[in-house]
Structures are given as C-alpha cells and as structure tokens.
Amino acid sequence: AAGVIQSPRHLIKEKRETATLKCYPIPRHDTVYWYQQGPGQDPQFLISFYEKMQSDKGSIPDRFSAQQFSDYHSELNMSSLELGDSALYFCASSPSDRPDQPQHFGDGTRLSIL
Amino acid sequence: LAKTTQPISMDSYEGQEVNITCSHNNIATNDYITWYQQFPSQGPRFIIQGYKTKVTNEVASLFIPADRKSSTLSLPRVSLSDTAVYYCLVAPVMNSGYSTLTFGKGTMLLVSP
C-alpha cells in the first residue's frame, strides 16, 4: 500500500540558511500533520492542514511556515536555521472521510544544522 | 488534552507476552486511545486504536476498562524485532477525522533472546 512520502530523507544546512521539506500524503488523504523530533526526544506537533487550510498550530517557531497545495502535498519552510533545529521532521496524513482511520507517518526528513 | 503516563522501559524475552499499561485519568468522553510503535530514525507506526472494551488486530490487543482511565497494550509472543518505543496517545477524534496527537514519554521495550 502507498505510504506517506517525505523528501529529502536527509538534509544538511548551515546556520541562518533556509530549508524546505516536502510531504506527499497517502492518496485520498486530505489532512496533513507535521511533527518535530529532536535527538532523544518525543515527537512534538508543529502544524496541520485540512483541505488546504491550516487547521491547528502547535509549537512551531515563527521562523517556520507551511502550506498545503491543491494536490494535498505539503511543504514546511524553515528560515534562519539554528543549531537547535537539528531534528527528524515527520509528516503524517489521514483521511477526513474516515474518522476511524489513524494518522499514518512518513519516515521523516533528518535535518542537520552545522 | 488528556495526559498519559506509561512505564519508561520494559524488558522481555522472545516468545513472551508483553503488557504495557497506560494511565489517562482525565480522559474525555470523545477521546480515543491510540498506540504507536517507533523504531530509531523511523516514523511512528500505528498499532491499534480503541474507545472502550477490547480491540484486537493481527498484531496486538488493546484492553480498556469501563472507566477508561487506563488501557493496556498486549503484544503476544514478542520477537527481537518488537524492540522499540511504544507510545500511548489519547486524543479526541472529530467527525472530520481530524485529531492532534500529543506524544508523551513512551515505553522503551527491549526484547532479549
């Protein structure tokens, strides 16, 4: 079965640079969630989108922004990168017409800030 | 959001049944209980979800008492590959299917030969 696709899988940036992470949800999933997991930490919710509109916001820094496009894929844009932004970034998706379906996660993008 | 409490770690041996209990004393009426498994450097993988009583699928069972203030994930006959972190999450599920997950401290399960 198709899964959530995230790209790139690994990304290395320097301080103050920008980065864009992409997420392609499972087909027919219209809700996308972004999570950040620092080294040795638990995943933390950042932001979510439903039908291309932002639906909820968690602990996302003001330096980050995200959007969901007409094909339901989503991009997380990160600017003025800091060392503390080094983490695994996960995207999850779910279908809004199936409340019994849980969130399905991708395998993440590992972002390393030098 | 309901806060969850689960053991930091558990040890087991291959072939044994493992039960991980999660406390969620302030669970709300429209909250569902969901368990995820996570291997290092991989995304959390859905295991099982339930609202009340007992739910069983091909990999696990979930036992939820009548008061729903706790739940127990049961893994039958674990193998070495079940070594992972297990998260218990409690969150409301809207009619739209939307649900924000708040991850707490998971349980690190170590399965030995």
Side-chain angles (χ1 to χ4, degrees), chain B residues 1-3 24 26-34 49-52 64 68 89-94 99-100:
Chain B
L1 294 173
K3 179 179 169 58
H24 27 81
N26 59 339
I27 189 169
T29 303
N30 58 344
D31 284 345
Y32 279 71
I33 301 158
T34 310
Q49 177 174 286
Y51 183 80
K52 62 180 179 181
I64 305 170
R68 304 202 324 126
L89 298 106
V90 173
V93 178
M94 311 304 180
S99 178
T100 299

Side-chain angles (χ1 to χ4, degrees), chain A residues 31 33 35 37 42-43 45 48 55-56 88 90 95-96 99-100 102-103 105-107 110, chain B residues 36 38 41-44 46 49 87 93-101 103-106:
Chain A
T31 306
Y33 311 79
Y35 295 83
Q37 186 172 27
D42 307 299
F45 169 69
S48 61
S55 52
D56 203 356
L88 266 171
F90 293 110
S96 63
D100 60 319
Q103 294 181 28
F105 285 75
D107 276 337
R110 181 175 293 281
Chain B
Y36 280 83
Q38 187 178 30
S41 298
Q42 292 187 24
F46 170 79
Q49 177 174 286
Y87 290 99
V93 178
M94 311 304 180
N95 289 333
S96 66
Y98 178 79
S99 178
T100 299
L101 299 178
F103 286 82
K105 296 297 180 185

Side-chain angles (χ1 to χ4, degrees), chain B:
Chain B
L1 294 173
K3 179 179 169 58
T4 60
T5 302
Q6 51 185 119
I8 294 295
S9 64
M10 292 184 70
D11 295 321
S12 184
Y13 293 97
E14 281 190 293
Q16 288 190 332
E17 177 185 77
V18 171
N19 296 306
I20 306 175
T21 297
C22 177
S23 297
H24 27 81
N25 291 317
N26 59 339
I27 189 169
T29 303
N30 58 344
D31 284 345
Y32 279 71
I33 301 158
T34 310
W35 285 80
Y36 280 83
Q37 174 194 56
Q38 187 178 30
F39 298 111
S41 298
Q42 292 187 24
R45 185 175 73 96
F46 170 79
I47 301 174
I48 199 165
Q49 177 174 286
Y51 183 80
K52 62 180 179 181
T53 63
K54 177 184 174 182
V55 181
T56 297
N57 61 23
E58 62 275 12
V59 298
S61 294
L62 179 60
F63 298 91
I64 305 170
D67 65 5
R68 304 202 324 126
K69 293 184 182 300
S70 67
S71 60
T72 298
L73 173 72
S74 181
L75 305 172
R77 297 182 299 282
V78 295
S79 63
L80 297 178
S81 62
D82 291 318
T83 293
V85 177
Y86 292 81
Y87 290 99
C88 163
L89 298 106
V90 173
V93 178
M94 311 304 180
N95 289 333
S96 66
Y98 178 79
S99 178
T100 299
L101 299 178
T102 300
F103 286 82
K105 296 297 180 185
T107 297
M108 176 64 221
L109 173 65
L110 176 62
V111 181
S112 301

Side-chain angles (χ1 to χ4, degrees), chain A residues 3-113:
Chain A
V4 176
I5 306 297
Q6 293 189 244
S7 69
R9 290 299 313 276
H10 304 272
L11 188 59
I12 299 174
K13 291 285 185 179
E14 296 191 353
K15 285 169 55 178
R16 293 180 288 278
E17 286 192 321
T18 61
T20 297
L21 310 185
K22 298 184 178 182
C23 168
Y24 298 88
I26 292 172
R28 291 182 294 282
H29 282 199
D30 50 9
T31 306
V32 169
Y33 311 79
W34 285 96
Y35 295 83
Q36 177 193 57
Q37 186 172 27
Q41 303 296 311
D42 307 299
Q44 298 296 312
F45 169 69
L46 292 179
I47 194 168
S48 61
F49 293 87
Y50 166 58
E51 277 295 335
K52 293 156 280 186
M53 300 287 289
Q54 179 182 309
S55 52
D56 203 356
K57 203 171 181 179
S59 52
I60 184 170
D62 292 339
R63 299 176 289 108
F64 294 5
S65 65
Q67 57 183 324
Q68 185 179 31
F69 295 86
S70 58
D71 63 351
Y72 297 106
H73 93 272
S74 178
E75 295 183 3
L76 178 65
N77 300 295
M78 312 160 73
S79 63
S80 303
L81 289 168
E82 302 173 356
L83 293 177
D85 296 329
S86 294
L88 266 171
Y89 290 84
F90 293 110
C91 170
S93 73
S94 65
S96 63
D97 61 345
R98 292 287 305 277
D100 60 319
Q101 290 298 300
Q103 294 181 28
H104 293 271
F105 285 75
D107 276 337
T109 293
R110 181 175 293 281
L111 175 64
S112 299
I113 310 301

